[in-house]
């Protein structure tokens, strides 16, 4: 319990730092999407026009240009293709290419990528979530879905295109309470809502550290029928871990395990009459996936140990602020 509390405190500190970094981008991004939708007058300008009995007319020059560029992307979509690097690799690369086509076809990835590209044209950032859906199929159904850019936060130190150097990525979204119960059935109802995860910083949401680390749940405000929305934070982060490199003396196969797992494997192998030799230890990076509400709801290794499920598309990067536009 103490370890979980310490982790939650660390995650909240990361969240606040990244939210502070992204706040100016979020402000501009909201205005960008309003312009795309034709909401191009400020409240003060509307009130002034109303007082003068003048019509509020918008000539939306933004939407046609953005949609035409988006249409060009749809008409010239790229495809995933693997090329052999060495003689004899052609057959394997053909199989990989067809496998990638199958995955993207099943997941309808082209349309989802186009939605993310459209967001990039508007606000400088688009995102997709690539994963496997184990609810639809036991072996996992391919799934690629565009993510609302305004639900995303990223590592404040990331500066490369597509934030390829980010150490962590966040998605903060509201889902029905009933859905939260389905995803995390073993948790108490008061643990689902991440009330501390305000994306937009306001005087009311700028809590002290003590308040941020304490959840003040009110059971009476929770709808038992699940109609109430709760905030769920999805965090993926990279961590450096030490692994032990082993060689199976019977097959010559080289494997890597965490220190604790390697010790268990060698003990079990010795009981079965098999031998492993330790080549050494090294540091590797692995991706962890966390779902957080009022407390940590779930933390596991990501499906892909080396890459985030979130894939980011950025426009231009402001060198001074590190923010996309």
């Amino acid at each position: 319990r103490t370890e979980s509390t310490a982790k939650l405190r660390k995650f909240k500190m990361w969240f606040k730092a990244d939210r502070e970094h992204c706040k100016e981008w979020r402000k501009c991004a909201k205005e960008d999407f309003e312009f795309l939708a034709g909401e191009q007058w400020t409240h003060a300008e509307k009130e002034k026009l109303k007082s003068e009995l003048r019509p509020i007319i918008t000539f939306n020059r933004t939407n046609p240009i953005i949609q035409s560029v988006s249409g060009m992307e749809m008409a010239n979509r790229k495809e995933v293709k693997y090329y052999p690097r060495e003689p004899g690799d052609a057959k394997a690369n053909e199989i990989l290419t067809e496998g990638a086509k199958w995955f993207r076809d099943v997941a309808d990835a082209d349309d989802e990528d186009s939605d993310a590209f459209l967001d990039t044209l508007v606000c400088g950032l688009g995102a997709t979530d690539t994963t496997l859906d184990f609810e639809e199929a036991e072996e996992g159904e391919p799934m690629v879905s565009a993510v609302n850019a305004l639900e995303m936060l990223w590592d404040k130190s990331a500066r490369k295109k597509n934030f390829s150097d980010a150490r962590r990525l966040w998605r903060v979204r509201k889902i029905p309470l009933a859905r939260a119960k389905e995803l995390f059935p073993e948790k108490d109802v008061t643990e689902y809502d991440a009330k501390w995860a305000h994306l937009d910083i306001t005087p009311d949401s700028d809590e002290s550290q003590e308040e941020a680390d304490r959840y003040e749940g009110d059971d009476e405000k929770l709808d038992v029928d699940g109609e109430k929305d709760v905030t769920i934070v999805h965090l993926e982060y990279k961590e450096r871990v030490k692994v032990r490199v082993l060689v199976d003396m019977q097959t010559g196969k080289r494997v890597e395990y965490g220190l604790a797992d390697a010790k268990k494997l060698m003990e079990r192998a010795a009981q079965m009459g098999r031998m492993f030799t330790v080549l050494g230890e090294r540091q590797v990076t692995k991706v962890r996936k966390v779902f957080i509400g009022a407390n940590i709801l779930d933390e596991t290794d990501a499906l892909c140990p080396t890459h985030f499920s979130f894939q980011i598309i950025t426009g231009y990067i402001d060198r001074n602020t590190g923010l996309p536009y």
Side-chain angles (χ1 to χ4, degrees), residues 246-255 257 262-278:
L246 307 175
V247 175
D248 189 333
M249 299 303 292
Q250 291 184 5
T251 64
K253 185 178 179 181
R254 173 173 164 165
V255 293
Y257 286 92
K263 183 178 179 181
K264 291 179 181 178
L265 175 65
M266 295 182 71
E267 291 174 352
R268 196 171 302 160
Q271 295 174 359
M272 299 172 61
R274 297 182 62 181
M275 292 294 294
F276 282 85
T277 299
V278 179

Side-chain angles (χ1 to χ4, degrees), residues 25 63 128 143 249 259:
W25 172 83
N63 198 332
T128 59
M143 185 172 70
M249 299 303 292
L259 300 184

